[in-house]
Amino acid sequence: MKKVKQGIVMMMVMSMVLLLAACGGDETSGNESGKTYSFKLAHITPTNHMWHQAAEKFAEELESKSDGRMKVEIYPASQLGTEADMVQQIEAGSVDFGLITAAYMSSRSPSFAAWFMPYAFEDINAAHEARTSDVSKKILATLDEQGLIGLDYLFAGQRVMLFKDKEVTSPEDMAGLKLRVTPSPPMQDFYRSAGASPEGLPLPEVYAAVQTGVIDGMDMDLDAAITNKYYEVVKYGAVTNHMVWPSVAIVNKSTFEGMSEADQKIVRDALTVATDFAVNTRSGQEEEFRQTLSDNGMKIYDIPADAFADQIAEFDAKYKDSDPLIKEFIDTYRK
């Protein structure tokens, strides 16, 4: 009987040793013992826009790289409200991730205005490369004090100008026009310097506003001009490519810092795949988008950068003095 009891005790000891060894193995692997996550991600664009496609790519990569431990539910097309609403929800932790325009983020952290210096980049590939520079990372880091972490930038083409019924070929032609411009100080300042009157309408209201004549046109990208069918209500599209159009991939700070380093790396790696996918796909679509708009009745034409030389100089002079990171950005990328 005594031997039986000793055997039972030995079995219990061995079981504890094996259990502790297994736990030790989980700690060194850095995967939080297989912790699972159900994330929420929000953005403003419709489901056929590049940012939504990139969000889907992110979700796909996240699930694959985590062996199914990480899943993402995506809320597109402003389902959760305005960008201000989305950021508040991310701060509160009810939403985990957001693809929020740098234009809106510049109203919360002024250094994001650097991305809207006119004619900074030849194309979105150049802007995509710039996102990994020291100054670009410093700008992301300004969000740390807001309960947010800026993870990366995601691009959706460059900005163009759409006009309801007037062919604009110079800043002089823009005098007095009411144009929908994202309510971001640097973007609106650029248009004011060209003589236009910028109106900060939410994206879902833009179609009806131009259709009814509340506004005379808009600052937009070609992708959104197609996905939102603005060609139905505007006649002229000036392909100025005057600014790039980044969103900022942000995450709730407590959520991200509560993850293991290994799981944080999975998130960052999945996002890198999504950002590369977006820029590689979008950069090859320029001519296709121009043709689509032309086929739908819009007159598509170019305005050269030198037409806005005065506006470029005015922007640089004002914003270089407004923020040291903006100055560093302009000094780095102004050719």
Side-chain angles (χ1 to χ4, degrees), residues 23 55-56 125 128 130 156 169-170 215 222 245 256 296 302:
C23 291
E56 291 181 320
N125 289 304
H128 183 68
T169 60
S170 69
I215 56 175
L222 292 179
W245 187 241
F256 194 69
N296 280 279
D302 298 287

Side-chain angles (χ1 to χ4, degrees), residues 8-26:
I8 293 172
V9 170
M10 286 298 294
M11 289 176 64
M12 291 175 65
V13 170
M14 289 298 294
S15 297
M16 289 297 294
V17 169
L18 290 172
L19 179 61
L20 289 171
C23 291
D26 281 345

